[in-house]
Every structure is written in structure tokens, then in C-alpha cells.
Amino acid sequence: MTLEWHDLLGTPYDLHGAQGIGLDCGSVTEKVWTRLGMRPASTEDYRVEQTPQGAWPCGEYLCEAQFEKLGSKPRCAVALGDVVLTGADDGSQGVFVLVSNSPRMFLTAQPRRGVVGVPLNELERLSASVLGVYRPSETTDPQSRSESEGEPL
């Protein structure tokens, strides 16, 4: 099964989708999970209206909700929908969701660039800021998580 994700590229950044014009890194992740048929816990309760650099408490969400921590290196993300959580000294956080294994590509949203694709080698350069790699434990179809031949989602 192949995940369709290219249509998300270039979508404008919009913190929490508040203005209905774009996506932030959390809502990009939710869109990817939905396309994979996954039903993880909503991030809605963990979104904050006013935070420095637009950060939302992803670490708290990933720890409290039903997620398995896979490790602390981006290469630990191997199944479609796995997420890499990063953090900076200023308290800002980012979420990168795996959308392709060939080549390994992650999606995120950035305030200045909108939704962008980030290859594994670029994400590995952020290793010092990686807080963890996580996998949602609930899916409607576990087979849909690994990339194989088939119809696009």
C-alpha cells in the first residue's frame, strides 16, 4: 500500500489550523494517520493557544496517550506513521511523521515554509534535539503501516 502525501506539500503553516488556512506539524501528523486508517488519541486536549514559537506539548501527548517509544534516533522510525519528536532550547517542539520508506521521507510544517518533506539524512542532523521516536499503538489495519505494493490511500 502506498500513502498519498505529496498533495500536503506547500500547504501554508497555520498554528492549530486556527484560521482554517493551513496546518501545523501536529495537524500534518493527524492527516497522515487518518490516511493510514489509524485512530490515535486526538491532539486537541494538548494544543495550547499561546505558546512561544507556536509549540504544543507533543511530549506530554505522546507520553500520556497510547504510543510506544521506539528509541531516540530518527532511524528508529520504520513504519509509516511513526513520528520523531524534536525539541529546542527555547522550548519549541517539532513533529516529523514518516510518509515513505523508499526513500525515507518525513513530513512536518514550519512557520516560514509550510508543509515540507524532510529526508532521513537531514533529520539525522537534528539528532541532538530528538526527544524520542514514537509509534501509535492503535490502528484499524496494522498491515497498512508498512509500505508495500497496492492502491494509494
Side-chain angles (χ1 to χ4, degrees), residues 45-58:
D45 292 340
Y46 297 88
R47 293 181 178 267
V48 182
E49 291 302 318
Q50 300 291 328
T51 58
Q53 293 77 39
W56 60 284
C58 330

Side-chain angles (χ1 to χ4, degrees), residues 50-102:
Q50 300 291 328
T51 58
Q53 293 77 39
W56 60 284
C58 330
E60 184 179 323
Y61 167 74
L62 292 168
C63 291
E64 290 184 12
Q66 296 182 10
F67 291 85
E68 173 188 359
K69 185 169 184 181
L70 303 173
S72 59
K73 303 225 182 272
R75 73 179 77 100
C76 294
V78 294
L80 300 182
D82 286 355
V83 293
V84 177
L85 173 65
T86 63
D89 291 338
D90 65 6
S92 63
Q93 295 178 329
V95 178
F96 299 78
V97 59
L98 184 64
V99 293
S100 174
N101 276 318
S102 183

Side-chain angles (χ1 to χ4, degrees), residues 132-144:
V133 179
Y134 298 87
R135 177 174 298 153
S137 59
E138 292 186 26
T139 65
T140 56
D141 179 10
Q143 277 303 101
S144 71

